[in-house]
Amino acid sequence: GNSVTQMEGPVTLSEEAFLTINCTYTATGYPSLFWYVQYPGEGLQLLLKATKADDKGSNKGFEATYRKETTSFHLEKGSVQVSDSAVYFCALTSNAGGTSYGKLTFGQGTILTVHP
Amino acid sequence: GAVVSQHPSWVICKSGTSVKIECRSLDFQATTMFWYRQFPKQSLMLMATSNEGSKATYEQGVEKDKFLINHASLTLSTLTVTSAHPEDSSFYICSARTAGSGNTIYFGEGSWLTVV
């Protein structure tokens, strides 16, 4: 079955530091990959996505590249802000356009805290 | 843009009672919706796939008689937690998939359930 593994948290950084949150996956076929962010007490917001190998998703200074050869989708940001403090989830779904598309498998989440 | 709305945002109920959570797609038709559960400081686990006009498909280990899902229209799916117990207290969140090619997944804001 599908699985997603994220780096252990929590991650604590100073403002303007470089961020990397590792994510690797196991899936059959060619999944679509996502990063979601969850702020305290809120639901999920899509941060970025990539639907095929070598695609780079980007949003709000965050980037992640779909690496099929290493089955990875690591999240990076060059300079984090206090407002980036949240929980980040890596997720995948199989078969874009197929009937199972949308059934997301989530990683365990990584808590990010950014200090001024 | 597309919006998925959940109601109520939070609810407290007594043990043994039932509680219904609604998930609505506000400006698109969603033939398929998904229900997830999130325990505090943990990841999201898929509970079931809700299909308009047909029975929901439950994930292994999810009690279908306890978590009743109804998808009576193209814009509404409901999750009813029957005979709730304190261990059912959790964050429940739905997502909806747009139809057609390039379909996209949108999440609701989530519903906090506390059973006392």
Side-chain angles (χ1 to χ4, degrees), chain B residues 20-85:
Chain B
K20 180 185 289 186
I21 301 170
E22 296 184 345
C23 179
R24 292 182 184 274
S25 57
L26 297 185
D27 57 1
F28 67 96
Q29 293 183 334
T31 55
T32 304
M33 293 183 176
F34 304 91
W35 287 96
Y36 297 83
R37 182 174 182 178
Q38 183 182 31
F39 291 102
K41 299 184 179 181
Q42 295 188 26
S43 190
L44 291 87
M45 301 299 295
L46 178 67
M47 298 175 67
T49 301
S50 173
N51 302 298
E52 187 270 335
S54 64
K55 292 183 179 180
T57 304
Y58 290 82
E59 296 299 302
Q60 190 172 11
V62 178
E63 298 176 63
K64 62 180 181 181
D65 294 331
K66 180 167 186 63
F67 298 100
L68 299 179
I69 292 173
N70 184 277
H71 196 150
S73 77
L74 287 171
T75 59
L76 174 64
S77 175
T78 60
L79 168 68
T80 300
V81 182
T82 62
S83 186
H85 291 281

Side-chain angles (χ1 to χ4, degrees), chain A residues 1-105:
Chain A
N2 297 338
S3 68
V4 176
T5 302
Q6 287 180 235
M7 66 182 288
E8 293 280 339
V11 174
T12 303
L13 296 172
S14 297
E15 205 165 26
E16 299 184 2
F18 184 84
L19 168 70
T20 299
I21 301 177
N22 290 338
C23 171
T24 57
Y25 67 90
T26 302
T28 55
Y30 300 90
S32 292
L33 303 174
F34 305 83
W35 277 100
Y36 284 90
V37 58
Q38 184 177 36
Y39 297 100
E42 298 184 12
L44 291 179
Q45 298 179 26
L46 177 65
L47 184 58
L48 52 85
K49 69 177 183 180
T51 58
K52 61 183 187 295
D54 299 326
D55 268 1
K56 177 185 283 187
S58 61
N59 185 28
K60 299 180 181 178
F62 291 89
E63 293 183 340
T65 300
Y66 189 143
R67 301 287 188 198
K68 187 164 179 63
E69 65 275 14
T70 54
T71 60
S72 65
F73 193 55
H74 304 323
L75 181 69
E76 296 182 338
K77 186 174 186 181
S79 177
V80 294
Q81 305 299 312
V82 173
S83 57
D84 293 326
S85 298
V87 182
Y88 292 81
F89 292 95
C90 185
L92 68 81
T93 186
S94 297
N95 305 320
T99 56
S100 61
Y101 187 80
K103 290 178 64 174
L104 288 167
T105 300

